[in-house]
Amino acid sequence: MTVAISAEAAGRMFEPAVETMARAELRQLQDVRLKAMVRYAGQRVPHYRAAFAAAGVDPESFGGLADLRRLPFTTKSDLRDNFPYGMFAVPKGELRRLHASSGTTGSPTVVGYTATDIATWSDLMARSMTAAGLEPGQLFHNAHGYGLFTGGLGMHYGAERLGCVVLPISGGSTERQVLLMRDLAADAMCATPSYALNIAEVATRMGIDLAALPIRRGMFGGEPWSEAMRASIEAAFGITACDVYGLSEILGPGVGCECVEARSGPHLWEDHFLIEVIDPKTLEAAAPGEVGELVVTTLTKQALPMIRYRTRDMTRIIEEPCVCGRTHRRIMRVRGRDDDMLIVRGMNVYPSQIEAALIGLPGLAPHYQIVLARDGALDALTVEVEALPDALAEGDAARQKERAVSHHLKSMTGITCKVALKAPGEVPRSVGKAVRVRDLRER
Ligand code: DLL
């Protein structure tokens, strides 16, 4: 049984039958796939065999969705402890691709894909792109880094699967990005949101009005961003900007994506991923609609099955049906990882909350960094933000502006902070994931 949707709505989906599957039918599919996945992981991965045994779960007779909470969690340290191939369910020769994390927050982790996994990933990316309003035949300007980061190749394969023409420009060479976007008449693009703003700024310097070009669609993700940043990107490029979510441990980009119709949080593709939100302290299920840590179980992954993987990403599940007709649930835009949260004088705040309050204020450019330092026994937080070129202030006028912005941040986020106005170009620009926090505190 599928939900009745109009042919016109179905035409805007890559796999309409699956994307509009009735919830009960989707649950049933998840149940069957979960049982098979637990059996598969137990048979093939010693780590899971041991973890299931410790939790008293017999993978051969596992009860499916009803018993989900009996399954052990998997964390990033399990991947590290089993580096490089210990968590894999297939021999090395059956893999077709490896990606790796940069290891900025610890030792590196490696993820892998079989040929079937790459085909599934491409399908899910094509599904995500269609949701974001892309169409076959369009020119897709791919400004995600190619290489070990999953952004570049993940988007590339998805765009080809959809039938787009891909420009694999990768990140960097920003002036060239602008020229090619104009000369080749790109229809759609993807980048991290911070890099998109960098491109927009360079275009302005070059005297090129991106909003006057044919480009109309964009997909942005890989790092937290805010509604204010979406508005800046949409205005600069003259596009609709959709939020695409994912993480390498689970897949890469394309675990979910916003639909262009609602643009109110990514739909996660629940035929391939089982999602839960937990309280990261108690590890119990968060109350319905409450914010907590997203936990994902892969339902079809061959090379690297993930059972109840703790993403550290904080969000909530949106249960309300979406206007686009898709039945796969949405999550609230991810505002950061649990470990990105700053605790300043006892107040908890995510960099993205500061961003949301900051961007769009008159006279400020959307380029900022948060500096943490020690002030005696206390933490001191300074927000360094650039003034727009035509709004540069000096002396008393600058101090007054800084105080006004600091007051605004306090009222919006509860955080007491200093604000330091910077001249245009003083805040470092990103070509991939932006570094939002400089922590100068001694550990
Ligand atoms: O960043 C995959 C990706 C590439 C997604 C391009 C979207 C676009 P990792 O490098 O493993 O994979 O980093 C994953 O980035 O756990 C989140 O903390 C963060 N992240 C990814 N997408 C979003 C988003 C890729 N749309 C980590 N909003 C995730 C907020 C995001 N955070």
Side-chain angles (χ1 to χ4, degrees), residues 226-274:
S226 58
E227 281 307 314
M229 197 137 158
R230 185 193 323 251
S232 297
I233 292 174
E234 292 194 333
F237 289 87
I239 57 175
T240 52
C242 286
D243 187 12
V244 54
Y245 172 76
L247 63 165
S248 0
E249 297 88 327
I250 295 300
L251 184 76
V255 173
C257 187
E258 281 184 336
C259 59
V260 70
E261 294 90 342
R263 282 184 296 147
S264 55
H267 290 273
L268 297 195
W269 306 127
E270 293 186 86
D271 49 333
H272 293 278
F273 309 108
L274 189 64

Side-chain angles (χ1 to χ4, degrees), residues 144 149-151 155 220-225 243-249 252-253 311 313 334 337 433:
H144 272 307
F149 177 49
T150 50
M155 291 281 180
F220 304 92
E223 63 184 0
W225 54 313
D243 187 12
V244 54
Y245 172 76
L247 63 165
S248 0
E249 297 88 327
T311 64
D313 288 331
V334 168
R337 290 199 164 191
K433 300 192 187 215

Side-chain angles (χ1 to χ4, degrees), residues 256-310:
C257 187
E258 281 184 336
C259 59
V260 70
E261 294 90 342
R263 282 184 296 147
S264 55
H267 290 273
L268 297 195
W269 306 127
E270 293 186 86
D271 49 333
H272 293 278
F273 309 108
L274 189 64
I275 57 173
E276 304 168 70
V277 170
I278 61 163
D279 175 334
K281 292 207 179 69
T282 63
L283 305 185
E284 295 299 331
E290 283 291 302
V291 171
E293 178 181 346
L294 181 69
V295 171
V296 183
T297 300
T298 60
L299 294 174
T300 54
K301 245 331 213 7
Q302 289 184 337
L304 189 60
M306 281 288 144
I307 304 288
R308 299 192 87 195
Y309 184 71
R310 293 187 57 185

